[in-house]
Amino acid sequence: MKNTLFAAIAFLSIFTACGQGTTMNGSSQESDTKTTATNVTKVVKTDQEWKALLTPEQYYVTRESGTERPFTGKYVDFKGKGTFICVCCENELFDANTKFKSGTGWPSFYDIIDKNKVTVHKDYTHGMIRDEVTCGRCDAHLGHVFDDGPQPTGLRYCINSVALDFMEKNK
């Protein structure tokens, strides 16, 4: 009985922790924006609006927390100068200067442009515990962050190409 009770409490603790750290868009089903405590103007759209805006692969990755196959994304070996932005809302996420070759099959960055640009929270899917990275403006799933990256941060933001667009830096 004690073990069953302990297991139930542990499960509820983990289940509750899944939502912590996320920036949810509330219960509204209408398109609108709202400001969070971090002064980020939120982009909120219905599923139908996202489907009209995005390709099926972009929708699958960003709105359904999917992933693209490794080594297939357009930004894996990309070396442009500029800024990587969210494909859903154009939020500036990663400076190209922080991109590095990780060999994982997805674009990798060792830092974000600003801590308010992304949200990181625990992801308990697929039998793993990982830190999911979502857009701080529209909650799009971008990828995951790991602590095996290069200095100066030691982080590796492993991001789906399909979740990104690129703004070239003016020369």
Side-chain angles (χ1 to χ4, degrees):
M1 181 74 169
K2 260 188 192 177
N3 288 341
T4 304
L5 181 59
F6 178 75
I9 292 170
F11 173 77
L12 288 174
S13 297
I14 291 170
F15 182 75
T16 304
C18 288
Q20 291 179 349
T22 60
T23 52
M24 301 303 290
N25 60 14
S27 59
S28 171
Q29 293 298 313
E30 302 298 317
S31 291
D32 64 330
T33 59
K34 67 179 182 178
T35 304
T36 65
T38 57
N39 295 324
V40 174
T41 301
K42 298 297 284 186
V43 174
V44 180
K45 296 184 183 297
T46 64
D47 284 340
Q48 293 76 22
E49 289 171 315
W50 286 124
K51 286 179 180 178
L53 179 69
L54 304 168
T55 69
E57 187 178 22
Q58 289 169 333
Y59 182 84
Y60 167 68
V61 170
T62 62
R63 310 319 308 175
E64 296 180 330
S65 299
T67 190
E68 64 194 0
R69 289 175 302 151
F71 301 102
T72 62
K74 65 182 177 180
Y75 296 124
V76 174
D77 296 317
F78 184 79
K79 296 184 186 339
K81 292 184 188 257
T83 305
F84 289 91
I85 62 175
C86 176
V87 71
C88 296
C89 70
E90 300 182 349
N91 186 18
E92 294 182 7
L93 303 168
F94 303 96
D95 187 297
N97 291 329
T98 66
K99 188 174 183 293
F100 69 98
K101 188 172 181 93
S102 67
T104 62
W106 291 274
S108 296
F109 306 87
Y110 63 79
D111 207 357
I112 54 178
I113 287 181
D114 181 284
K115 67 178 177 151
N116 293 319
K117 299 288 187 169
V118 301
T119 302
V120 177
H121 56 92
K122 292 294 180 196
D123 175 4
Y124 296 94
T125 61
H126 307 293
M128 299 178 269
I129 300 174
R130 300 175 290 174
D131 290 324
E132 180 182 16
V133 179
T134 57
C135 176
R137 189 167 178 215
C138 71
D139 298 325
H141 170 76
L142 302 172
H144 294 87
V145 61
F146 304 93
D147 62 2
D148 60 358
Q151 293 305 317
T153 65
L155 298 174
R156 173 175 52 95
Y157 289 87
C158 190
I159 306 299
N160 291 284
S161 286
V162 74
L164 301 172
D165 269 334
F166 187 73
M167 289 189 327
E168 193 167 356
K169 187 178 192 176
N170 293 334
K171 300 188 186 313

